[in-house]
Amino acid sequence: MFRTNTINFRMPYKRILLVLIVFLSFCTSCKREFSNDNYVAYFGGEVANPSKPYVLFCKNNIVIDTLFLKKDNTFFKKFDSLTPGLYTFKNEPEYQYVYFDKNDSIKVHIDSKDFDESIVFCGRGDQKNNFLMDMYLRNEKDKNNMFEVFDYKLDKFNTYINKINNLNKKYYTAKKAEIKWSDDFDIYANGIVNFPYYTKKEIYPIIHKMRTGENVSDKLPKDYYAFRKNIDYSNKELTEFSPFVMYLDHMLNNVGAINYHNHFSEIDLALKTNINKLNIADTLIKNEKVKNIVLNNIALKYLLEDQNMVNNQEFLKTYHKYSTDNSKKNEILKIGNAIQLLTVGKKLPEVKLINSNGKSISSNDIIKQKTVLFFWSEKLNSHLIAVHKKVIELKKQYPDYNFIAINLDDNIDQWKKDVRKYNFNPITELKCENFEDIRAKWAITKVHRTLIINSDKTIKNGFTNMFDIHFEEELK
């Protein structure tokens, strides 16, 4: 009999309570009778503090059904024929995965104020989904602890991530033996263990060099990337599985790097490197959906890092040659237009922000001197703390700058709660009023972006990173 305390991973106390509460409240209704020749399945649940009055049920990023909440915030749906596989459910803006085998009958408990931490599944098919959820939370906790780990020397870094990976593998092996899940589900169970580990290995040399200035590429053991040869890069089942897509993106950063970089200027090197990544993705990945996702990620990152308009056009010619995703092409075109508005010397486009009193204010009104705008999210706790600590030190060295923190989350109450909790005085704390607006006008797609603005509201650098080793040179 498998016991969770035979290994070092234990279900968090909060989730144990949730499991008990959810099972007592509505799991007894999950028993269903099925015949052998149908694919009937059931999906239902309860959403506490819903952000929207419905739950979207999706496959491959396409909405299959909109499940409206009843007055008691519950929902339920019988699917007459549901193909086994990985799906997502959304109470926007949050989402999570749910896997259905044939004739599964699954209920889920969600609290939108603490979305991921609150999720518990019950019913026929619950165990494998609770495993995915537990692994997701473990990976998120590990990710939050990784910020300083990338500064470690190679041996210490390997020791740290191998220890975490071995614990994850023990947990996976024990659960697989207990639950006896299908080979199709094992694609995701195995992937949620392995791909985050592979991702750490891929990004370590890049982040380590960026943060410390040390190039460890020549010091890596010969078998450091041996895991690459065992990966099926064209597996269509992984098309929308974020751990796999994220890994592919980082792997291409490494494989696409050009070593004879002294032959090119920094701008031309960025162009050639990213075109090289597009070429490799086209050759390596045979599945069209997977390829399009990776091509889109390459395009978004390149356009947000290289601001040479001539090179941008040359890059997009190659991107358009390989990509068949017309909807994403339009989105990338919009990002390209936003980037042109952020050229050095142009006025920073106006967006609406919210101050500590809950009042809407213009970004034009907050810039009265040289200003650094940086971003954070309570979902990335380690970055939240690290970036504020970094700013507190920078304020001492550069008192002529005003440093303004902008939160990108949706929940105003949570933002105020976090500001009170951490109390990072004397930093000015604001919140974006509309993320889509700030995304469109300032091309914000990730929290690590930093903008440096002159006192006359013109842009000095709209695409920098506070943790770049050369960041302070831009403040002088």
Side-chain angles (χ1 to χ4, degrees):
M1 181 74 177
F2 170 69
R3 301 172 66 89
T4 55
N5 61 2
T6 59
I7 56 177
N8 290 333
F9 276 121
R10 298 187 182 186
M11 184 180 290
Y13 180 70
K14 181 178 179 181
R15 280 180 60 74
I16 292 174
L17 287 178
L18 279 169
V19 169
L20 291 173
I21 293 169
V22 171
F23 268 75
L24 288 172
S25 63
F26 61 79
C27 279
T28 53
S29 64
C30 286
K31 285 186 86 174
R32 302 283 169 188
E33 297 297 328
F34 302 99
S35 61
N36 293 327
D37 60 350
N38 68 55
Y39 283 83
V40 171
Y42 298 85
F43 184 52
E46 177 185 23
V47 184
N49 305 303
S51 58
K52 294 287 189 295
Y54 54 81
V55 171
L56 299 178
F57 188 68
C58 311
K59 176 72 171 175
N60 294 332
N61 235 9
I62 298 172
V63 177
I64 295 176
D65 210 330
T66 300
L67 312 177
F68 288 96
L69 301 180
K70 300 176 184 177
K71 290 182 179 180
D72 60 357
N73 289 337
T74 62
F75 66 95
F76 187 79
K77 174 72 177 182
K78 175 185 176 182
F79 294 96
D80 292 329
S81 182
L82 189 69
T83 304
L86 190 70
Y87 295 81
T88 56
F89 57 92
K90 302 179 181 181
N91 190 234
E92 295 176 313
E94 303 285 359
Y95 80 95
Q96 261 303 343
Y97 295 111
V98 58
Y99 187 92
F100 278 84
D101 278 315
K102 181 183 178 183
N103 297 146
D104 274 349
S105 178
I106 298 172
K107 282 193 173 183
V108 61
H109 173 271
I110 311 163
D111 186 335
S112 68
K113 287 189 175 181
D114 195 9
F115 193 86
D116 294 323
E117 287 282 353
S118 71
I119 290 176
V120 181
F121 297 93
C122 71
R124 179 170 174 167
D126 63 338
Q127 288 182 295
K128 57 182 178 288
N129 283 294
N130 281 321
F131 167 79
L132 282 184
M133 200 63 233
D134 284 341
M135 277 306 310
Y136 170 82
L137 292 174
R138 289 187 172 103
N139 287 334
E140 287 298 296
K141 181 179 179 181
D142 184 41
K143 187 190 299 183
N144 285 334
N145 293 333
M146 285 297 296
F147 202 79
E148 294 182 357
V149 175
F150 290 114
D151 291 350
Y152 290 175
K153 294 292 185 180
L154 179 60
D155 289 344
K156 185 178 180 181
F157 172 79
N158 274 331
T159 299
Y160 179 90
I161 66 168
N162 287 339
K163 178 181 178 181
I164 299 296
N165 189 49
N166 288 336
L167 288 172
N168 284 340
K169 283 186 173 180
K170 286 181 182 179
Y171 182 60
Y172 158 82
T173 301
K175 280 296 185 182
K176 183 178 182 181
E178 178 195 15
I179 299 171
K180 297 180 175 61
W181 54 57
S182 66
D183 290 342
D184 289 337
F185 174 76
D186 195 57
I187 294 172
Y188 305 104
N190 188 279
I192 204 168
V193 172
N194 285 326
F195 288 123
Y197 171 67
Y198 298 159
T199 297
K200 292 174 204 168
K201 299 200 73 167
E202 295 285 357
I203 64 180
Y204 169 69
I206 298 170
I207 295 183
H208 185 80
K209 183 178 180 181
M210 183 183 76
R211 287 172 56 87
T212 69
E214 180 189 15
N215 187 347
V216 296
S217 297
D218 294 336
K219 301 175 184 178
L220 299 176
K222 291 183 179 179
D223 63 347
Y224 184 81
Y225 295 114
F227 57 85
R228 287 176 178 170
K229 64 179 182 291
N230 298 319
I231 299 172
D232 179 5
Y233 295 99
S234 298
N235 189 332
K236 64 181 181 179
E237 302 303 325
L238 294 170
T239 301
E240 301 291 338
F241 192 48
S242 60
F244 172 67
V245 175
M246 184 179 295
Y247 166 73
L248 267 179
D249 182 39
H250 291 299
M251 182 274 292
L252 286 169
N253 284 338
N254 280 346
V255 178
I258 296 175
N259 294 324
Y260 47 95
H261 50 78
N262 290 334
H263 295 268
F264 306 108
S265 67
E266 186 174 338
I267 290 174
D268 287 341
L269 176 63
L271 172 65
K272 293 183 181 298
T273 298
N274 282 277
I275 286 180
N276 194 28
K277 286 160 65 175
L278 293 177
N279 291 332
I280 293 169
D282 181 64
T283 302
L284 181 67
I285 304 168
K286 304 305 178 187
N287 181 272
E288 185 177 347
K289 288 185 178 180
V290 178
K291 183 188 298 186
N292 278 332
I293 290 172
V294 176
L295 293 174
N296 293 333
N297 287 340
I298 294 170
L300 285 170
K301 285 194 171 185
Y302 173 72
L303 292 174
L304 291 171
E305 290 171 1
D306 177 59
Q307 305 322 310
N308 183 289
M309 297 305 163
V310 175
N311 282 1
N312 283 356
Q313 295 307 310
E314 187 174 343
F315 170 84
L316 287 172
K317 285 180 183 177
T318 305
Y319 164 76
H320 287 303
K321 180 173 71 173
Y322 294 140
S323 174
T324 59
D325 187 345
N326 291 327
S327 64
K328 283 295 181 181
K329 285 182 178 181
N330 292 332
E331 181 180 341
I332 288 169
L333 180 62
K334 290 179 181 178
I335 293 290
N337 292 336
I339 287 168
Q340 293 186 47
L341 297 175
L342 296 171
T343 304
V344 173
K346 285 189 175 183
K347 291 277 187 180
L348 181 68
E350 180 188 23
V351 301
K352 292 295 184 180
L353 302 167
I354 299 172
N355 65 16
S356 58
N357 296 321
K359 181 181 177 182
S360 177
I361 59 174
S362 167
S363 58
N364 289 338
D365 295 335
I366 64 172
I367 301 172
K368 300 176 181 178
Q369 65 187 86
K370 291 190 291 185
T371 301
V372 172
L373 302 172
F374 66 99
F375 306 88
W376 62 275
S377 167
E378 61 98 11
K379 297 180 180 64
L380 293 174
N381 183 264
S382 62
H383 174 264
L384 183 168
I385 296 171
V387 74
H388 279 83
K389 286 183 176 179
K390 176 84 172 176
V391 166
I392 289 171
E393 292 303 314
L394 288 172
K395 281 179 70 69
K396 297 175 184 177
Q397 301 175 55
Y398 303 94
D400 53 331
Y401 274 90
N402 185 23
F403 291 81
I404 298 176
I406 299 176
N407 176 265
L408 299 175
D409 297 321
D410 289 322
N411 193 315
I412 294 178
D413 292 335
Q414 183 64 46
W415 166 62
K416 291 181 178 179
K417 180 180 176 182
D418 289 334
V419 170
R420 288 194 299 268
K421 174 182 176 181
Y422 293 105
N423 192 27
F424 286 119
N425 287 327
I427 300 170
T428 302
E429 295 283 351
L430 300 172
K431 185 189 178 307
C432 72
E433 184 173 284
N434 184 324
F435 177 74
E436 289 305 317
D437 188 50
I438 202 170
R439 184 174 185 266
K441 292 179 179 177
W442 291 2
I444 300 297
T445 61
K446 55 186 178 181
V447 297
H448 299 88
R449 274 273 301 288
T450 304
L451 288 77
I452 304 175
I453 311 300
N454 297 314
S455 58
D456 63 356
K457 299 181 176 60
T458 59
I459 298 165
K460 184 175 183 180
N461 190 337
F463 297 88
T464 186
N465 184 330
M466 198 174 294
F467 293 99
D468 189 296
I469 196 170
H470 302 296
F471 176 73
E472 289 189 45
E473 295 176 12
E474 304 194 53
L475 300 180
K476 298 173 181 177

